[in-house]
């Protein structure tokens, strides 16, 4: 019982810290684009009397993640994955479940065996729309694109 209470208190403390970080990020992200530019980050540091240069911030950003192209993202600061990263991970897990023989492709038969909600006509339509190379099976890339694309 005591251990459970301690874990609950620890979790609440983590949640308060996460909310504080989210609030600070939101204030710093003056243009609301979900990322902090060098200027936005520089301003936060200046507001808190932390002496630095824009060049130092650029090096920090470049060192933190080479993919951010001059920005710190909400995910890199808060430790969260972006929605697209989460969707790709879900798609990959689903692909691995459906690829019963682990050959790197999903066939119509594999999809039919696992998706009881789809009839053969619907499965054929999925393949017609998403099998880009028309080899009769969905690669992991084709499947992930299908799962992560915006619904029309």
């Amino acid at each position: 019982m005591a251990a459970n209470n301690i874990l609950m208190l620890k979790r609440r403390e983590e949640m308060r810290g996460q909310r504080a970080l989210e609030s600070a990020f939101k204030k710093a992200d003056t243009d609301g684009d979900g990322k902090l530019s060098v200027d936005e980050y520089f301003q936060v540091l200046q507001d808190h009397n932390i002496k630095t240069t824009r060049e130092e911030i650029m090096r920090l950003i470049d060192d933190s993640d080479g993919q951010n192209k001059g920005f710190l993202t909400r995910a890199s600061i808060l430790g969260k994955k972006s929605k697209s990263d989460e969707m790709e991970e879900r798609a990959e897990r689903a692909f691995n479940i459906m690829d019963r023989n682990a050959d790197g492709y999903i066939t119509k038969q594999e999809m039919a065996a696992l998706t009881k909600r789809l009839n053969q006509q619907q499965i054929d339509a999925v393949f017609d729309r998403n099998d880009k190379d028309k080899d009769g099976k969905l690669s992991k890339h084709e499947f992930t694109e299908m799962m992560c694309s915006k619904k029309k």
Side-chain angles (χ1 to χ4, degrees):
M1 181 78 164
N4 192 28
N5 288 341
I6 291 170
L7 289 174
M8 213 158 61
L9 289 172
K10 177 92 171 119
R11 179 69 182 133
R12 284 185 186 153
E13 182 181 325
E14 288 172 2
M15 288 173 61
R16 278 193 299 273
Q18 187 74 18
R19 282 194 299 266
L21 271 176
E22 287 178 18
S23 175
F25 184 90
K26 201 178 254 186
K27 282 182 191 173
D29 183 19
T30 56
D31 60 5
D33 64 355
K35 31 189 185 176
L36 295 183
S37 67
V38 171
D39 290 333
E40 288 169 326
Y41 196 61
F42 181 76
Q43 188 59 51
V44 168
L45 296 176
Q46 294 298 303
D47 291 348
H48 290 87
N49 296 319
I50 299 171
K51 303 291 183 225
T52 190
T53 65
R54 283 182 169 78
E55 291 76 27
E56 289 174 322
I57 294 170
M58 277 300 292
R59 280 196 305 273
L60 172 75
I61 290 172
D62 289 342
D63 289 346
S64 73
D65 183 17
Q67 298 177 341
N68 288 333
K69 298 180 177 90
F71 294 95
L72 285 174
T73 63
R74 170 181 244 104
S76 68
I77 290 175
L78 300 176
K80 292 182 177 179
K81 294 180 179 169
S82 69
K83 293 222 186 278
S84 63
D85 288 341
E86 287 178 11
M87 285 296 295
E88 283 184 28
E89 284 181 12
R90 282 185 186 158
E92 188 168 328
R93 284 194 304 268
F95 180 88
N96 291 335
I97 290 168
M98 295 180 90
D99 181 18
R100 303 289 293 242
N101 63 359
D103 66 350
Y105 297 95
I106 297 173
T107 63
K108 291 180 181 182
Q109 294 76 22
E110 287 172 321
M111 185 174 279
L114 289 169
T115 55
K116 303 296 183 206
R117 296 163 111 187
L118 298 178
N119 63 37
Q120 192 59 48
Q121 184 179 2
Q122 291 168 319
I123 291 171
D124 290 340
V126 166
F127 276 76
D128 288 344
R129 182 179 218 177
N130 299 292
D131 181 14
K132 304 297 184 202
D133 59 8
K134 302 298 181 202
D135 62 356
K137 49 194 175 184
L138 296 179
S139 67
K140 186 177 279 191
H141 178 74
E142 290 168 334
F143 184 81
T144 302
E145 272 190 0
M146 173 187 75
M147 296 298 288
C148 295
S149 69
K150 301 275 187 222
K151 305 293 183 234
K152 294 179 182 175

